[in-house]
Amino acid sequence: MSAVYLDWNATAPLHPIAREVLAQWLDRFGNASSRHRFGEAVRSEIEAARHRLAESLGVMPNQVVFTSSGTEGNNTFIKGVAWAERQPGTVVVSAIEHPSVREPAQQLTRLGWRVRTVAVDSQGRIEPTDWAAALAERPRLVSLMLANNETGVVQPVAELAREARQAGAIVHCDAVQGWGKLPIDFAALGVDALTLSGHKIGAPIGVGVLVIDRRIDWAPLLAGGGQEGGRRSGTENGAAIATLGALAPIVAEQQPQWAAHTLALQQALEEGLTSRGATLFSAHAPRLPNTTFFALPERIGENWVLALDREGFAVASGSACSSTHPGPSATLTAMGVPAEVAQSAIRVSTGWATDAAAIAAFLAAIDRLRQPDRLHYRAVTW
Ligand code: PLP
């Protein structure tokens, strides 16, 4: 049975353009630091990719640092700023940040830093009173996500960044889930640094981008051979970087169509879910057009995922990073969702290759799995 992939926020399928570029690279090799023609060829491809990336994000090429992942970008900037500071300070993060922001922020406490976590409201938006209180504490660094990976809630980053910078903070934005789903313009966001990850837009896993304002003082996480202008040592992943360079302009150009396409699917899905009595999380907040986070009773989220997988549908549950961190989602807990509802959470996330038939078939599968004779597990009651 072929499976329907509804887990694009976890990773997107390889884009056809990425496949083409990678196929060409199978017969190529070279270390970009080598001075001979093999190295030179790779180096020029990397620089061409840097220019294309920069243009698509509205920045200068020397602001683009290639990394291995969103996780590396987030760690690099958060730790890099702390290492460059003479005195420990306060770092502000929201209660719904991805673990790749929350954990490095927490690690700064070993250097004497304080972590101030800002609350969110019941819809998953940054809570304004707590935000103002956090800024009044004069943080040195603020890290906020553009869009949440579970609920899809989009934060007003431009406005929040302006306020944080007025309060004297360096502002970082984890925009990993926004790429390809929202327009991404570094200057319009008004942040000092931005993290992106290639595999969320159809590049292979293993490449990311950190965009940094050149005026910011920070220390690299990976020190060594001095690649990426000394900002990220390690032999460059030429094939993956070239793929990203080819994809970046396509993503920027096609983003409005992809958003319109997934929005129509999201509306159909959410109408279907509402009529089936599902609880939709963050239904009243601005959200990504491709993400629906909801709960249905009868099964806990993990069991929904397994049952749906047997029916041929790949979705995610609400538990943080599923298999590695069982328990209710930290995002839903921060939103005040009762644990008994949060434990039944399911995330559907779509992309350019998802079609309306997949959504209809998914709703039909939900109906089948709710038949009393299919409930092998003790019903979860709220
Ligand atoms: N930030 C957010 C919001 C994410 O959703 C993810 C991955 O799911 C990451 C960061 C980490 O990105 P990567 O998987 O490239 O390390």
Side-chain angles (χ1 to χ4, degrees), residues 45-367:
E45 288 272 353
I46 291 173
E47 291 319 310
R50 196 185 312 282
H51 278 76
R52 282 197 285 271
L53 246 300
E55 202 181 336
S56 74
L57 301 168
V59 298
M60 300 301 289
N62 67 9
Q63 291 177 259
V64 172
V65 179
F66 289 113
T67 63
S68 67
S69 63
T71 297
E72 185 190 319
N74 289 340
N75 271 266
T76 297
F77 194 72
I78 291 169
K79 292 175 181 172
V81 166
W83 288 351
E85 287 286 315
R86 264 184 274 278
Q87 303 277 336
T90 296
V91 53
V92 166
V93 295
S94 83
I96 56 163
E97 293 304 315
H98 189 267
S100 60
V101 163
R102 262 191 288 135
E103 293 300 323
Q106 203 54 46
Q107 283 182 306
L108 297 192
T109 58
R110 293 172 174 225
L111 302 178
W113 282 62
R114 215 179 122 252
V115 181
R116 170 70 159 84
T117 303
V118 178
V120 293
D121 66 13
S122 64
Q123 294 297 310
R125 292 170 299 213
I126 304 266
E127 207 286 308
T129 312
D130 200 36
W131 170 248
L135 292 190
E137 295 170 26
R138 311 296 289 179
R140 189 67 198 106
L141 177 62
V142 169
S143 183
L144 296 175
M145 68 196 337
L146 180 59
N148 184 268
N149 41 303
E150 292 181 275
T151 58
V153 169
V154 179
Q155 304 294 342
V157 168
E159 189 186 321
L160 299 171
R162 186 169 28 81
E163 293 167 359
R165 282 169 97 172
Q166 274 163 9
I170 294 171
V171 184
H172 167 252
C173 176
D174 171 359
V176 165
Q177 288 295 345
W179 209 12
K181 302 165 192 163
L182 301 170
I184 307 276
D185 179 328
F186 187 75
L189 285 171
V191 295
D192 297 296
L194 186 83
T195 299
L196 299 169
S197 175
H199 71 96
K200 308 290 183 183
I201 59 158
I205 290 169
V207 66
V209 177
L210 180 60
V211 181
I212 305 193
D213 187 315
R214 295 291 290 179
R215 290 164 295 189
I216 299 295
D217 190 19
W218 61 286
L221 182 66
L222 298 184
Q227 289 89 346
E228 292 295 288
R231 295 173 295 174
R232 197 275 182 186
S233 288
T235 302
E236 297 91 337
N237 186 349
I241 291 173
T243 305
L244 206 51
L247 271 184
I250 293 170
V251 167
E253 187 201 310
Q254 297 192 351
Q255 180 275 321
Q257 286 109 283
W258 291 355
H261 172 71
T262 54
L263 183 65
L265 301 176
Q266 185 186 50
Q267 282 163 352
L269 173 64
E270 296 189 1
E271 271 165 34
L273 290 171
T274 307
S275 69
R276 287 163 174 80
T279 299
L280 289 188
F281 301 118
S282 302
H284 306 295
R287 271 183 301 142
L288 293 175
N290 80 318
T291 307
T292 298
F293 200 30
F294 64 99
L296 280 168
E298 292 112 9
R299 287 177 174 81
I300 62 168
E302 286 299 293
N303 289 339
W304 272 116
V305 171
L306 297 178
L308 282 161
D309 188 45
R310 282 194 291 272
E311 296 287 312
F313 297 87
V315 300
S317 73
S319 49
C321 290
S322 307
S323 50
T324 42
H325 293 88
S329 130
T331 303
L332 293 181
T333 305
M335 288 161 57
V337 174
E340 63 274 21
V341 179
Q343 70 175 351
S344 293
I346 311 167
R347 180 189 69 190
V348 168
S349 50
T350 62
W352 50 266
T354 316
D355 60 17
I359 299 299
F362 173 76
L363 289 168
I366 292 267
D367 290 340

